[in-house]
Every structure is written in structure tokens, then in C-alpha cells.
Amino acid sequence: MALPWALAVLSLFPLLDAHSPTCTNFSVPITNATLDQVSGKWFYIASVFHLPEYKESTKKIQAAFFYFAPNHEEDTLLLREYTTIGNQCIYNSSSVKVDRENGTLAKFAEGKVHFGYLLLPKDPKTFMLAFPEDKQNMGLSFYADKPEATKEQMEQFYEHLACMGMDKSEVIYSDEKKDLCEPLEKQHEEERKKGERPKADTV
Ligand SMILES: *[C@@H]1O[C@H](CO)[C@@H](O)[C@H](O)[C@H]1NC(C)=O
Ligand SMILES: *[C@@H]1O[C@H](CO)[C@@H](O)[C@H](O)[C@H]1NC(C)=O
Ligand SMILES: *[C@@H]1O[C@H](CO)[C@@H](O)[C@H](O)[C@H]1NC(C)=O
Ligand SMILES: *[C@@H]1O[C@H](CO)[C@@H](O)[C@H](O)[C@H]1NC(C)=O
């Protein structure tokens, strides 16, 4: 648990007005180009979750970064994530299923499906995951290629938030200064150079 982007609502068919013209087009098909764009290293910047359970989990995340490695044939993304919770680094790797047509990313964990709509704002150095459920359960999370987003990037996030009917005051931010995962990432890089794979990668 505690995957910032995967702290999603569990129902498989939410689609609350997913095509609402007044707001984001949530269901934008995912192409090979999209997968290439989200490939690489990302930092979790901020999120809002209305579902109390996920809101609580999000509050515990001090910092997080992760790598996406796409597999175009299988429509999956290999996710390797480094999350700092309770002054501890937790590493996990898993496979994320891409639904190209619906524009969703789905993750299976603890017997449940967690999924979100992939949103690519104008700035290719960021992306968002939207959980357009009803008001009580909705959520939006924001990622950037640097541990700190620029003012302009944050504005894009706030715009999407407002559009979904959520408030800036609800935003929970990560704090890169609290990140404790850098040494583990370095260690994994070293292992890679030596041709070894981090154990959890084989999951
Ligand atoms: C995604 O699209 C498929 C058809 O391609 C459909 O069967 C499924 O219900 C959709 N799922 C969601 C979550 O919209
Ligand atoms: C939303 O996405 C669908 C599917 O790609 C597309 O047909 C439609 O034109 C889009 N609507 C807007 C307002 O962008
Ligand atoms: C996406 O990439 C896969 C693997 O390279 C390829 O087989 C497929 O044809 C590509 N799809 C499109 C629409 O280009
Ligand atoms: C790691 O991933 C597995 C499989 O998805 C999941 O069951 C487990 O809860 C995750 N652990 C953490 C700390 O995220």
C-alpha cells in the first residue's frame, strides 16, 4: 500500500461524467508516444484524496519517486518506487496495466484494482493521475521530473483541481528534504551496472 498514485478508489467503473466538456477529458487514449513520454524517473509532488482512508495514507508519505519502464507489446509499465514513510525508505516494484482505450493505469495490490486516468498536461515534464469519482471519493495526484515543481507546473495542477471541484487548501505536498531513499537507489544503480537486478525487481 501507500503508493502515492495508486491510492485510488477501488470501483472499476466510476466514470463520473468522464466526458464532461466543462472539465478535463479524462478518457484520453494512451498511445506508444504517451508511454514513451511517461517513461523514466518521476517525483511525487502533491495530491488531494477525498476518501478518508487514502487521505490518511497520503499524509504519511514524506517523499516518493519512481521509475516507469514501458512494455509496448504487453501494455504494461514496470513500476519501481522509492517511498519514504515514517522516516523509512520502502522500495517496491510492480507491474501497472495500461488500458490504452480508456486512458487508465491499473495496479493490482492486495487483491484489489487501483486505477487512475493518466492526464498529460501541456508540460511534458509533468503528469497527473485523476480519480474522477463522486465528490466523497475523488482524487488527483501530481508528478514531475524534478523533486520540486515550478510555479507554472503547480498552476496546471491547481487548474485541474479546481476543474474537478476540489480546493487548493486540500493539497498535501511531499517534501524532498525528507527523502531517505537516495542511498538505496544508488545501491540499485550500482547493482545494475554490475549486471545484477535488485531482488524485488523480479516480482
Ligand atoms: C475500458 O474499456 C473497455 C473496453 O475497451 C471496457 O470494457 C471497460 O469497461 C473500460 N473500463 C473502464 C474502467 O472504463
Ligand atoms: C475527449 O476524448 C475523446 C476520445 O479521445 C474525444 O473523442 C473527444 O473529442 C475529447 N473531447 C474533448 C472535449 O477534448
Ligand atoms: C506500439 O509499439 C509496439 C511495439 O513496438 C508495436 O508493435 C505497435 O505496432 C505500436 N503501435 C502503434 C500504434 O504504433
Ligand atoms: C509492494 O507491492 C506488493 C504487490 O503489489 C504489495 O502487496 C505490497 O503491499 C507493497 N508494499 C509496499 C510497502 O508498498
Side-chain angles (χ1 to χ4, degrees):
M1 64 150 260
L3 319 170
W5 75 263
L7 299 170
V9 177
L10 308 175
S11 65
L12 196 45
F13 308 104
L15 288 180
L16 165 98
D17 210 2
H19 298 283
S20 165
T22 60
C23 194
T24 317
N25 199 347
F26 289 113
S27 204
V28 179
I30 294 174
T31 63
N32 279 350
T34 318
L35 294 180
D36 291 337
Q37 189 175 328
V38 297
S39 172
K41 185 176 181 178
W42 295 97
F43 294 86
Y44 162 61
I45 303 293
S47 65
V48 175
F49 285 101
H50 278 183
L51 198 71
E53 184 188 343
Y54 296 130
K55 195 171 163 181
E56 285 310 307
S57 306
T58 308
K59 276 186 191 158
K60 293 190 185 124
I61 297 170
Q62 295 165 301
F65 62 87
F66 56 91
Y67 289 85
F68 269 152
N71 182 322
H72 295 95
E73 280 86 8
E74 291 177 4
D75 286 357
T76 56
L77 289 163
L78 173 66
L79 169 66
R80 296 186 293 114
E81 53 194 329
Y82 298 81
T83 310
T84 306
I85 300 176
N87 297 319
Q88 250 190 314
C89 172
I90 295 168
Y91 174 74
N92 218 347
S93 87
S94 55
S95 179
V96 172
K97 184 84 190 123
V98 176
D99 188 317
R100 288 177 183 256
E101 214 173 303
N102 301 334
T104 57
L105 301 184
K107 188 173 195 306
F108 297 85
E110 288 142 22
K112 294 169 190 157
V113 183
H114 305 256
F115 80 100
Y117 288 88
L118 180 62
L119 301 182
L120 297 176
K122 272 168 262 149
D123 186 339
K125 293 172 172 12
T126 66
F127 76 90
M128 298 179 213
L129 284 169
F131 310 96
E133 308 280 330
D134 54 50
K135 194 92 185 163
Q136 275 80 42
N137 299 326
M138 61 171 59
L140 184 70
S141 51
F142 186 51
Y143 309 90
D145 70 344
K146 300 255 162 35
E148 279 185 47
T150 65
K151 222 174 162 185
E152 289 74 24
Q153 290 171 338
M154 288 313 299
E155 281 309 320
Q156 290 184 8
F157 173 58
Y158 296 143
E159 269 171 36
H160 279 278
L161 262 191
C163 178
M164 287 174 76
M166 295 186 281
D167 197 84
K168 210 168 149 175
S169 64
E170 303 176 74
V171 177
I172 294 170
Y173 298 88
S174 68
D175 181 358
E176 73 147 327
K177 290 191 281 302
K178 300 218 167 99
D179 175 67
L180 295 172
C181 284
E182 217 177 301
L184 184 61
E185 183 197 23
K186 286 229 167 69
Q187 184 193 320
H188 285 168
E189 273 169 15
E190 290 303 313
E191 287 168 2
R192 246 162 244 279
K193 273 185 211 142
K194 286 190 213 137
E196 298 163 15
R197 283 156 62 87
K199 275 199 190 76
D201 245 355
T202 57
V203 172

